[in-house]
Amino acid sequence: MPPVFWLLFAGTLLNRLGILVPAFLSLFLAAETGLSTNAIGVLVGLWGAGSVAGSLLGGVLADRLGPRAAVLVSQAVSLAASAALACTQRAAVLAGVVVLSGCASTVHKPAGAVVVSGALPGAGHVRAFGLLYWASNIGAAVSPAVSGVLLERGALWLVALNAATAVGYCLIALRLPGREAGTGGGAGAGEARSPGRGLLAPFCSGPVARFLFLSFCLALIYLQKQSTLPLDMAGHGLAPHTYGLVVSLNGLLIIVLQPVLSRVAERLGMDAQFVLAGLLIAIGFGANSVAGSAWSYAAALTVWTLGEILLVPQASAFLVRHAPEGRAGSYQGAYQFVWNLGLVLGAPLGMTVRDAYGGDVLWTGCLVLGVGVVTAYAGYARRAGRETAGRGRGAEPPDQSGEQRDDRKGTRCA
């Protein structure tokens, strides 16, 4: 891996360590503002809405201005939001502040795709994105412990941590590539006149649009871990601290296994990796229908965590491979958008199904949906393979990763 990748790795870890996640944001608001529980719930929801919008915005910024500018903008907004949180208690002002804070939490993420696509050959993309995901999970594992200690000393210490890590990431970002070093020098003139076209382009490309839709379906399943899974465990008589211990296994497995599985995944084709990841997620969540003890839930969690480890770097590599020249950030931002949307829509949908039909129907539905996603993807991949073979001997030979090179032509939206 080149030095610029390890700068990005360090910045990703640092940012994830200091970000004011919704759980601690709600604790901060409760301690400092005196707002009602309902008002705090609305503010946390606005933080989530900001994070969804930030994914798309970050992709456009990374492509047009370069990774360096995208990261600097995100961290500058994060600093401003942190300062505002420490200075105001008015609900109307806080609403705007938390939207900006949520937006800043995701604006910087698509910049990583631009750095990786420009600094590494295609054969190394899956491993690179796997390592970035590893860095994020290391930060996520350490952050709650650090934030908990700081919160006991005073709520404003959480804001100080967020500000300190934002400054640190800004210093790292100064050594990241600018627009001149990007993949293609940014958006073309037509896209500069029509920003909406740049946002919609990933959803107008047939193969990418299908991939985004199937990824959204997997997000609906995977993100049940944050909504219906704790309710299901409580329904089987398990205490909240047991849920916390079981779910913490997810981060531990990722930290331990991600570097190993990243190397193993390099030997798999991109299509096979998605199919295997989707099956593991479907089977893991489907297994919750027969779980009833902490150990059985932990076993199911281990299965879907293996799918998560395979899915995240594969998805990023797939989108970089299919993005037109200079558009890697926008395509990565589109994936972050549909994944976050899976939480926004999946949580109420899962709770509605569970309340109406019970947990067994919910988890069986997750299994059926996951198998359907995998079957659809395999069908698309098989058809694409036949079309490639049908072009005859004049087709471009595969690269060293064993996959057909992409012509990376842009797609015009109506």
Side-chain angles (χ1 to χ4, degrees):
M1 296 294 173
V4 68
F5 172 82
W6 294 114
L7 287 172
L8 183 65
F9 181 95
T12 300
L13 193 157
L14 190 64
N15 178 264
R16 190 61 185 83
L17 172 66
I19 190 173
L20 196 59
V21 296
F24 284 95
L25 174 63
S26 61
L27 292 174
F28 171 85
L29 293 173
E32 291 295 311
T33 64
L35 295 173
S36 67
T37 301
N38 289 338
I40 291 174
V42 171
L43 290 175
V44 171
L46 289 174
W47 188 96
S51 69
V52 172
S55 301
L56 291 176
L57 177 61
V60 174
L61 285 177
D63 288 335
R64 290 170 177 263
L65 305 179
R68 181 194 307 148
V71 173
L72 288 173
V73 167
S74 72
Q75 299 311 297
V77 173
S78 183
L79 273 171
S82 296
L85 280 174
C87 297
T88 185
Q89 296 183 356
R90 295 178 58 188
V93 177
L94 286 171
V97 170
V98 296
V99 168
L100 289 176
S101 179
C103 186
S105 72
T106 54
V107 162
H108 67 95
K109 291 183 176 181
V114 179
V115 172
V116 170
S117 65
L120 291 165
H125 287 172
V126 171
R127 182 169 177 242
F129 286 118
L131 289 172
L132 290 178
Y133 189 59
W134 186 48
S136 179
N137 277 277
I138 293 173
V142 177
S143 177
V146 174
S147 297
V149 171
L150 293 177
L151 185 61
E152 290 183 354
R153 297 187 60 183
L156 291 179
W157 282 101
L158 290 178
V159 174
L161 174 64
N162 179 251
T165 54
V167 171
Y169 200 5
C170 282
L171 295 176
I172 291 173
L174 294 175
R175 299 182 61 186
L176 293 178
R179 178 177 177 178
E180 69 281 355
T183 55
E191 291 177 4
R193 291 191 298 268
S194 178
R197 179 180 296 174
L199 291 173
L200 294 176
F203 302 97
C204 298
S205 168
V208 175
R210 286 193 296 267
F211 182 82
L212 291 174
F213 174 73
L214 295 177
S215 297
F216 168 72
C217 292
L218 286 182
L220 292 177
I221 300 170
Y222 174 78
L223 292 169
Q224 296 303 314
K225 75 171 189 175
Q226 299 183 27
S227 54
T228 55
L229 181 58
L231 296 178
D232 195 70
M233 293 178 68
H236 283 87
L238 300 179
H241 75 272
T242 303
Y243 165 76
L245 290 173
V246 170
V247 174
S248 66
L249 179 63
N250 172 252
L252 177 63
L253 288 172
I254 293 173
I255 292 172
V256 173
L257 297 179
Q258 180 73 62
V260 178
L261 290 184
S262 291
R263 291 187 176 276
V264 173
E266 290 178 352
R267 303 188 184 99
L268 298 174
M270 196 172 290
D271 294 334
Q273 191 172 342
F274 183 91
V275 169
L276 179 58
L279 279 176
L280 289 170
I281 290 174
I283 293 171
F285 279 93
N288 289 327
S289 62
V290 296
S293 67
W295 289 107
S296 57
Y297 279 110
L301 178 144
T302 300
V303 175
W304 56 257
T305 296
L306 293 175
E308 175 188 356
I309 292 173
L310 291 174
L311 178 66
V312 173
Q314 183 277 342
S316 296
F318 177 95
L319 292 165
V320 166
R321 179 189 173 211
H322 284 79
E325 196 75 12
R327 299 299 311 283
S330 297
Y331 276 56
Q332 184 66 25
Y335 177 76
Q336 296 289 339
F337 170 77
V338 300
W339 193 259
N340 290 329
L341 192 63
L343 175 60
V344 174
L345 300 181
L349 177 61
M351 290 182 180
T352 299
V353 172
R354 182 180 181 275
D355 290 343
Y357 304 104
D360 290 349
V361 172
L362 170 66
W363 303 125
T364 302
C366 288
L367 174 62
V368 172
L369 177 59
V371 171
V373 167
V374 168
T375 302
Y377 185 90
Y380 291 137
R382 191 179 303 111
R383 185 170 60 189
R386 286 199 300 266
E387 291 175 354
T388 300
R391 286 198 289 264
R393 296 181 181 180
E396 193 174 339
D399 60 19
Q400 292 181 354
S401 67
E403 296 173 356
Q404 200 76 14
R405 292 192 184 96
D406 198 288
D407 60 7
R408 303 173 81 83
K409 292 180 180 178
T411 301
R412 180 179 294 275
C413 286

